[in-house]
Amino acid sequence: MSTDDGSMYTTVDEADRRLLEETEFDADLGAEMARDAQRVAADELSEVEFYRRYHDRLLAEFDVDDREVEIPDPDEVDADDVNAVDRVEEAFGGLGEALRNVGGEDAESRRSVMKKGAAAAALGLGGLGSAGATTGGEGDGAAGGAGGGAEGDGTRWGMTINLNNCDGCLACMVACNQEHNLSRGANWMYVFAFEDEGQGEETNFLPRTCQHCTDSPCTKVCPVGARHTREEDGLVLTDYDICIGCRYCEVSCPYGVNYFQWGEPDVPESEVDDDHQIDDRGRWVGSRPPEGVMGKCTFCVDRQDGQMGEEKVGTTACQEACAMDAIHFGDLNDPESDPNRHLREYRDGQENDRSDYPNRKGHTVSTFKLMEERGTEPNVRFVGNEPSPHAEQVEGPVAYEDVGLVDDRKEVLDRGAAANGGEEA
Amino acid sequence: MSVDGVDVTGVDRDTLTRPIRSFSTRYIAALAVALGLIGVWLFFYSRQLRHGLIVTNLADWGSGGGVPWGLYIGAFIWWVGIAHGGIILSAAVRLLGMDTYQPVARLAELLTIAALTCAGIFILIHVGRPDRLVTSVLPAWPTRVQWSPLMWDVTVITAYFVLTATYLALTIRYDVTRLRDRLPDRLEPLYSALTVGYTEREDEVVERMVWWIAFAIIIMAPLLLHGGVIPWLFSLLPSMAGWAGGVQGPSFLSIALTSAVAGIIIVAAAFRYAYGWEELIPRAVFQGLAKWLGFFSLIFLWLQLQQVITGIFAAPTTLQHATEVKISTPLYWVAIGLVVLAMLYAFATALRPDLFDLRALVGISVGVLFGTLTEKVLFVVEGLQHAHFALYDGVPGQYVPSAVEISAVLGTIGVVVLFFLVVSKVIPVVELHAIEDHEEVDA
Ligand code: SF4
Ligand code: SF4
């Protein structure tokens, strides 16, 4: 779209336009609104006028009039009324929120909700009504104690892993390895079996994925920007086309979740579908990495992009495989997502006698994030007891070999080294 | 630490250009050794090219039970250290007018160029996709340079390389012009390229430029290379107990200076021996260098002590664990022992000059270089074996460098030897200024 009034305003660029076009909404309307939103920001167009201009078309397009948003009739808005601006802002804020919630309970998938959220953002609504557009006041109450309930805009994929439910069957690891065609020993999902001080002989389990940290050291240190955070949903991914294999991300990650592709991958390129590898931005970030490049858990980016069908959006292979209801994956910004709901329900389900003990907190469930004090802001939250520094890894009930997995990758690699790299890893 | 009575101005120009004009079987032998070392490395490296990094003994830290950075990175740090120390020493000679060391100043600069090249080789063979070093790094530079310490690193190494090469080129023009009649005619095109546009009027300007470059090198020393970007690769990562912390900068710098003096002693002694340069590089120069070696060794040991004491007294669990493992590693004590030996020898000969023996000093310098390489590799490897995330401690895993990795160290030593063999046939490796004052030359 061209600007007739010179180049003062940026036009909607190609990428945004494609995003707009992907949604089932009117791309021209979006582009026009985005430009005018900039004019509003530059104080050249009053918010009231902006609102008046798009009110009807918006109503027609998004069909939000039967939602719980009150949009005042533009003709009743008095341009001289100082409060009108506030009211309009409020209305737009509500609109943004409504857009995000459209279809939440309907049959529509989360993917299209996600896209609507993106469309709303592209329309510049978030900026206009920033106060109102923030979703999730209720989420905070639900997950507040664990830090990291619903906050911020858009999607933020994450997990709640309930250690009390995990029985160490390793089904998640098997599923992950198969789905992502991982080489032996590259356990993107890894289940620790450990004993801890003060817990007797009891064996505990800690399933560990990439924590998809919001403030991730790995993305900071990557010299070429191959390791990056995907803006639309917070996934931390590696661009296999750019990575030079310096392994700096691996040494900077506090959690040891990276697995470098030291040799030929076990599963050759010809057997991996493009759908699983290329994400919705056209970048090669999915499935196992090629030789000489870094890999790690992707939170099943192919699923989140709808490449495995709309019904798989918002799921992961490990979560699907877990029969014990230990792994819960979903949008942490959505109070009704699986990880948030599970935590809420689990807390509610635990006894907590507040009539005799009025000073008790709202719940008695212990939650933690791994090494939260490192400031990485992990997006995986655990229910259960955090392993102490004295925790020691022990043999679990199911041996890795029994389910076709390799625990110690070095063994595989050493054999490869001894055979002059003849073997794969 | 000036040394009295060093005056080599009596040495003539023929002596200075002796390496260029002579040719011996010993030269051939040295060439064969250098090429042999490089050959062995290339033989092993071809395997890595074919099969990937799996032929090394590196592996993933975490559940993989290994270390993703090992000898390659250790050797990379070591070479950068030698390079950085070399250029600091040469800059100090020019800046502070320490004429005593003028005969070895250019050797130090050449060592810097050679060592930086070797550091570059180690980056190249360390990464999984060397083919992308240009295609990925260049486009990412503008956006990544403010973030990634690795990008700072690449930037600074390139800058230092350019700076040192400029420095050398500027001073060489002067020498080549004046010694032209003693230089071989078959290299004429090279010499005319080197001295293109030279007039005597530039001498003064060049001298000032060289002074400023030297000044810049000294000023930047505490920030760049071993003073900054290289230790920052590690000290900025809080996830590894043995790495994080502010002492790494000074500690790395002390290692750089110690290694560089040792390297210069070896190179200078080799030239002195090969070309009968007893007059040109007199014993007193080595006695002075020995004192520097002792002094830097002392600082190196002092900084190690700082780290060990803070690591075991009342340190957080993981740091304590990392330190305990470090001090129970016999190889660490071998490294420290070699440096202690150097320090004791240097101070003993300072007190009793009759104890001084050049061959012993060279032997001790070789020991120091072995010690600093060992310490650096242990630093990298053990750092990775004791992460704060302690659950992995149960995963067994030991790192012993593979033949491929070890051959690379030998190969790069071969590269340095080859470099000196070739360069010494082309340009004077000792400056004319060392034997003639400016006025004399111009006269
Ligand atoms: S867990 Fe490690 S690899 Fe994953 S985002 Fe955090 S720092 Fe990066
Ligand atoms: S290994 Fe790849 S993704 Fe990791 S820091 Fe290096 S270039 Fe970036």
Side-chain angles (χ1 to χ4, degrees):
Chain A
M1 143 165 203
S2 69
T3 49
D4 33 14
D5 46 1
S7 56
M8 247 194 86
Y9 302 109
T10 45
T11 49
V12 172
D13 73 38
E14 264 315 297
D16 284 346
R17 192 173 180 83
R18 250 182 280 125
L19 176 68
L20 283 167
E21 264 159 15
E22 257 181 76
T23 67
E24 59 266 45
F25 305 116
D26 184 348
D28 284 323
L29 169 64
E32 258 174 70
M33 282 188 71
R35 197 192 56 165
D36 278 348
Q38 291 179 37
R39 297 178 131 203
V40 175
D43 254 342
E44 288 191 21
L45 187 69
S46 78
E47 288 177 86
V48 172
E49 176 52 31
F50 177 78
Y51 172 54
R52 201 190 302 266
R53 214 176 261 187
Y54 293 105
H55 174 259
D56 288 341
R57 286 166 72 188
L58 267 181
L59 279 189
E61 191 61 42
F62 290 97
D63 196 28
V64 284
D65 48 350
D66 56 356
R67 306 273 152 199
E68 288 171 7
V69 190
E70 274 207 19
I71 303 187
D73 189 332
D75 295 319
E76 281 168 36
V77 175
D78 180 359
D80 296 331
D81 176 0
V82 278
N83 293 325
V85 173
D86 285 345
R87 268 188 284 131
V88 169
E89 263 197 53
E90 226 174 271
F92 271 113
L95 181 61
E97 182 172 0
L99 288 175
R100 249 170 244 112
N101 289 333
V102 166
E105 283 104 26
D106 296 359
E108 286 182 76
S109 73
R110 286 178 225 203
R111 179 168 166 75
S112 68
V113 175
M114 203 172 86
K115 281 192 172 167
K116 280 176 189 164
L123 289 169
L125 296 179
L128 270 179
S130 51
T134 313
T135 55
E138 11 162 4
D140 278 336
E151 53 189 50
D153 300 327
T155 308
R156 185 161 55 92
W157 295 120
M159 282 185 175
T160 297
I161 300 181
N162 193 329
L163 305 185
N164 300 335
N165 289 356
C166 175
D167 69 350
C169 72
L170 309 188
C172 52
M173 290 181 65
V174 175
C176 176
N177 278 46
Q178 280 171 358
E179 175 141 336
H180 301 292
N181 304 301
L182 303 182
S183 296
R184 276 163 302 153
N187 298 318
W188 286 5
M189 168 56 105
Y190 185 75
V191 178
F192 284 97
F194 65 95
E195 282 174 10
D196 211 342
E197 256 179 12
Q199 308 211 1
E201 293 290 281
E202 197 195 337
T203 304
N204 297 292
F205 304 99
L206 181 90
R208 180 235 66 197
T209 61
C210 165
Q211 310 295 302
H212 289 266
C213 313
T214 298
D215 196 355
S216 45
C218 63
T219 54
K220 272 201 201 111
V221 302
C222 178
V224 295
R227 178 59 60 79
H228 65 283
T229 306
R230 191 162 82 162
E231 266 181 34
E232 67 193 70
D233 52 9
L235 292 187
V236 178
L237 300 167
T238 316
D239 190 323
Y240 298 157
D241 274 320
I242 298 178
C243 170
I244 56 172
C246 67
R247 313 191 279 289
Y248 202 16
C249 51
E250 180 169 357
V251 301
S252 77
C253 168
Y255 308 101
V257 308
N258 290 276
Y259 296 87
F260 187 67
Q261 196 63 46
W262 296 97
E264 239 351 66
D266 289 355
V267 179
E269 186 61 36
S270 55
E271 288 172 33
V272 191
D273 226 332
D274 258 8
D275 279 355
H276 296 293
Q277 308 195 63
I278 312 296
D279 78 348
D280 62 6
R281 302 161 304 165
R283 294 175 79 168
W284 182 13
V285 296
S287 200
R288 96 281 181 281
E291 182 184 322
V293 164
M294 191 56 74
K296 66 156 189 70
C297 156
T298 61
F299 268 177
C300 299
V301 59
D302 46 352
R303 288 176 181 240
Q304 312 326 326
D305 284 356
Q307 307 278 40
M308 294 180 67
E310 290 291 308
E311 71 283 359
K312 300 271 188 191
V313 175
T315 68
T316 60
C318 53
Q319 166 231 323
E320 237 174 46
C322 179
M324 302 301 294
D325 207 29
I327 303 174
H328 299 268
F329 178 81
D331 176 8
L332 296 183
N333 282 345
D334 172 5
E336 289 313 313
S337 68
D338 191 18
N340 287 336
R341 211 178 40 231
H342 174 78
L343 184 61
R344 199 166 53 230
E345 286 167 5
Y346 191 76
R347 280 172 172 167
D348 291 347
Q350 305 298 310
E351 266 180 43
N352 187 18
D353 180 3
R354 285 176 89 181
S355 52
D356 285 345
Y357 307 101
N359 290 338
R360 270 197 186 166
K361 289 219 176 107
H363 60 82
T364 57
V365 174
S366 147
T367 60
F368 67 94
K369 289 179 181 177
L370 282 177
M371 295 195 289
E372 214 180 347
E373 75 283 1
R374 304 267 136 208
T376 52
E377 297 180 42
N379 281 309
V380 177
R381 169 176 64 196
F382 295 89
V383 175
N385 292 328
E386 181 163 17
S388 80
H390 306 288
E392 268 184 33
Q393 204 177 3
V394 295
E395 298 262 316
V398 178
Y400 291 88
E401 298 72 42
D402 295 348
V403 288
L405 295 170
V406 178
D407 179 13
D408 186 355
R409 189 171 196 213
K410 187 143 170 43
E411 277 174 27
V412 182
L413 296 176
D414 284 352
R415 259 182 282 133
N420 296 345
E423 228 176 298
E424 300 163 337
Chain B
M1 277 179 216
S2 71
V3 180
D4 297 331
V6 175
D7 182 10
V8 295
T9 47
V11 180
D12 60 19
R13 290 182 174 195
D14 284 337
T15 311
L16 193 71
T17 52
R18 198 178 286 158
I20 303 177
R21 293 176 308 129
S22 69
F23 197 73
S24 65
T25 45
R26 261 196 305 202
Y27 183 86
I28 303 279
L31 197 62
V33 170
L35 291 175
L37 287 173
I38 296 173
V40 169
W41 164 54
L42 289 180
F43 167 75
F44 279 103
Y45 181 61
S46 68
R47 286 203 218 163
Q48 185 182 320
L49 273 185
R50 247 198 331 272
H51 305 293
L53 282 159
I54 188 168
V55 301
T56 64
N57 276 347
L58 299 166
D60 297 305
W61 85 270
S63 77
V67 290
W69 284 8
L71 181 60
Y72 282 169
I73 290 292
F76 160 76
I77 306 174
W78 185 62
W79 280 121
V80 179
I82 294 175
H84 195 203
I87 196 67
I88 292 177
L89 294 175
S90 127
V93 169
R94 297 191 190 284
L95 205 61
L96 309 177
M98 302 196 301
D99 290 342
T100 309
Y101 302 102
Q102 196 130 39
V104 295
R106 184 169 289 160
L107 286 174
E109 286 150 27
L110 291 170
L111 183 61
T112 296
I113 296 269
L116 280 181
T117 308
C118 293
I121 290 176
F122 273 105
I123 294 200
L124 192 78
I125 63 179
H126 164 82
V127 300
R129 294 296 303 263
D131 54 315
R132 290 183 180 167
L133 274 180
V134 173
T135 54
S136 282
V137 172
L138 283 188
W141 194 87
T143 50
R144 297 305 304 162
V145 71
Q146 70 268 45
W147 281 113
S148 174
L150 207 57
M151 208 56 142
W152 306 348
D153 210 83
V154 170
T155 310
V156 169
I157 288 181
T158 313
Y160 252 86
F161 195 94
V162 172
L163 216 57
T164 313
T166 313
Y167 196 81
L168 252 173
L170 288 176
T171 52
I172 282 173
R173 286 159 70 81
Y174 181 94
D175 289 11
V176 167
T177 312
R178 283 166 183 76
L179 295 169
R180 187 63 198 85
D181 53 334
R182 289 176 173 79
L183 301 177
D185 287 334
R186 64 203 139 76
L187 293 174
E188 173 53 29
L190 179 71
Y191 294 131
S192 9
L194 275 175
T195 54
V196 68
Y198 179 85
T199 60
E200 284 188 9
R201 264 181 302 142
E202 83 177 35
D203 289 347
E204 208 184 319
V205 181
V206 165
E207 210 176 320
R208 238 177 302 139
M209 278 174 72
V210 166
W211 190 91
W212 278 107
I213 296 179
F215 185 68
I217 287 170
I218 294 287
I219 293 288
M220 295 190 303
L223 288 177
L224 302 182
L225 291 184
H226 265 246
V229 294
I230 306 281
W232 284 334
L233 277 182
F234 305 90
S235 61
L236 303 183
L237 301 183
S239 38
M240 304 296 162
W243 285 358
V247 77
Q248 298 310 353
S251 171
F252 273 51
L253 192 57
S254 74
I255 292 175
L257 292 165
T258 314
S259 315
V261 178
I264 294 166
I265 289 175
I266 294 169
V267 172
F271 272 99
R272 178 178 142 118
Y273 171 72
Y275 297 108
W277 272 356
E278 282 80 13
E279 288 168 79
L280 187 58
I281 315 179
R283 195 179 145 101
V285 171
F286 289 96
Q287 281 174 317
L289 286 173
K291 283 183 205 158
W292 283 110
L293 184 66
F295 177 65
F296 292 138
S297 297
L298 177 67
I299 295 183
F300 167 87
L301 294 167
W302 170 59
L303 287 163
Q304 290 293 319
L305 182 71
Q306 298 294 329
Q307 292 173 70
V308 171
I309 297 294
T310 31
I312 52 175
F313 186 75
T317 333
T318 35
L319 177 58
Q320 181 138 21
H321 181 59
T323 316
E324 277 165 8
V325 172
K326 172 174 160 158
I327 59 177
S328 59
T329 308
L331 211 50
Y332 175 73
W333 291 110
V334 172
I336 296 298
L338 287 166
V339 180
V340 169
L341 197 69
M343 183 185 73
L344 293 179
Y345 180 78
F347 290 160
T349 54
L351 292 174
R352 294 260 317 269
D354 55 307
L355 284 179
F356 183 84
D357 177 60
L358 187 50
R359 264 168 309 176
L361 180 66
V362 170
I364 270 173
S365 299
V366 171
V368 163
L369 283 176
F370 181 78
T372 49
L373 176 62
T374 308
E375 197 280 331
K376 247 33 266 181
V377 176
L378 283 177
F379 170 81
V380 172
V381 170
E382 289 191 335
L384 280 163
Q385 280 169 341
H386 306 289
H388 278 292
F389 194 64
L391 260 185
Y392 293 117
D393 287 354
V395 185
Q398 251 214 327
Y399 168 74
V400 179
S402 67
V404 181
E405 292 162 87
I406 293 172
S407 74
V409 176
L410 299 179
T412 46
I413 292 174
V415 167
V416 173
V417 176
L418 181 67
F419 175 83
F420 274 104
L421 287 174
V422 172
V423 168
S424 64
K425 283 276 167 266
V426 180
I427 55 159
V429 292
V430 174
E431 305 171 72
L432 197 52
H433 280 167
I435 56 167
E436 294 170 13
D437 287 339
H438 294 207
E439 311 81 63
E440 274 182 71
V441 176
D442 296 334

